[in-house]
Amino acid sequence: MKKIIFICMIATMFFACKSSSSTTAATEAPTLSTKLDKSTQVAIKGNWVLTNVSYPGSDYIKVTSFDLADSKCFIGSTWNFISNNNKGTMALTAPSCTAFTSPIVWSINNQGLFVLKIVNPGTKSKNVKEGYLLKVAGLSDNSFQLIDNINVGGQVKDVTYQFQRAN
């Protein structure tokens, strides 16, 4: 997962290898655009359910998503995206996983990147300095994907989070 650190209006990107023993290595990051893709943001506004997480080797490799939980714990999670203020919520509710609910701050830039900040209760979003970058793909009226990259044995593989509109 591309993890980013927010510093003023410039973001520095870190790439994380998400195996059971996750490590983070810093690399030179391309310039992250701060110009928003408002039409895509409006298309995503509303309530969504994350219906599937897929990646090569999912039977053998454990991926910890967003530094929170096993990626399979995100299946069935509910997400609310408010496009006029770039806020929302996410809630993990899988029965065999620890429940988790959090406000989020999100945006989609004109490079097609979904920028996500998970905000801990009692923290102002402007004070959250870390976040995640995912690619937006397959956007339709009722579904879209967020695609992340993981490093598996020196090879980059995609992790695809499939969303379906809930309303």
Side-chain angles (χ1 to χ4, degrees):
M1 176 159 309
K2 292 178 186 154
K3 188 173 185 179
I4 55 176
I5 309 294
F6 296 97
I7 303 171
C8 298
M9 291 305 287
I10 300 172
T12 304
M13 195 178 325
F14 292 90
F15 296 90
C17 172
K18 291 184 228 61
S19 64
S20 56
S21 60
S22 179
T23 60
T24 303
T27 63
E28 278 297 314
T31 303
L32 180 64
S33 173
T34 57
K35 294 185 188 289
L36 300 181
D37 181 347
K38 297 219 182 238
S39 63
T40 302
Q41 288 185 172
V42 169
I44 288 179
K45 77 176 180 179
N47 297 312
W48 297 82
V49 175
L50 198 157
T51 58
N52 191 37
V53 178
S54 60
Y55 52 93
S58 61
D59 293 335
Y60 310 103
I61 301 167
K62 179 180 176 181
V63 172
T64 300
S65 296
F66 309 110
D67 295 322
L68 290 175
D70 182 275
S71 61
K72 300 303 179 191
C73 291
F74 281 80
I75 297 172
S77 63
T78 56
W79 297 66
N80 173 262
F81 301 110
I82 304 167
S83 62
N84 66 338
N85 66 4
N86 298 98
K87 294 187 178 183
T89 58
M90 62 170 287
L92 304 181
T93 58
S96 61
C97 301
T98 302
F100 178 82
T101 301
S102 179
I104 60 172
V105 175
W106 66 282
S107 62
I108 300 170
N109 72 9
N110 64 357
Q111 295 166 312
L113 295 175
F114 185 93
V115 181
L116 173 68
K117 288 167 67 173
I118 299 171
V119 182
N120 292 322
T123 303
K124 292 185 178 190
S125 61
K126 69 179 182 179
N127 294 330
V128 177
K129 304 297 183 203
E130 296 182 348
Y132 304 91
L133 289 176
L134 300 102
K135 182 180 175 190
V136 178
L139 178 60
S140 72
D141 289 341
N142 294 310
S143 67
F144 74 96
Q145 296 89 37
L146 293 178
I147 301 173
D148 190 12
N149 295 315
I150 60 172
N151 184 325
V152 180
Q155 296 180 357
V156 176
K157 304 291 182 186
D158 288 342
V159 176
T160 302
Y161 299 92
Q162 177 68 49
F163 288 83
Q164 296 293 323
R165 190 172 294 279
N167 55 356

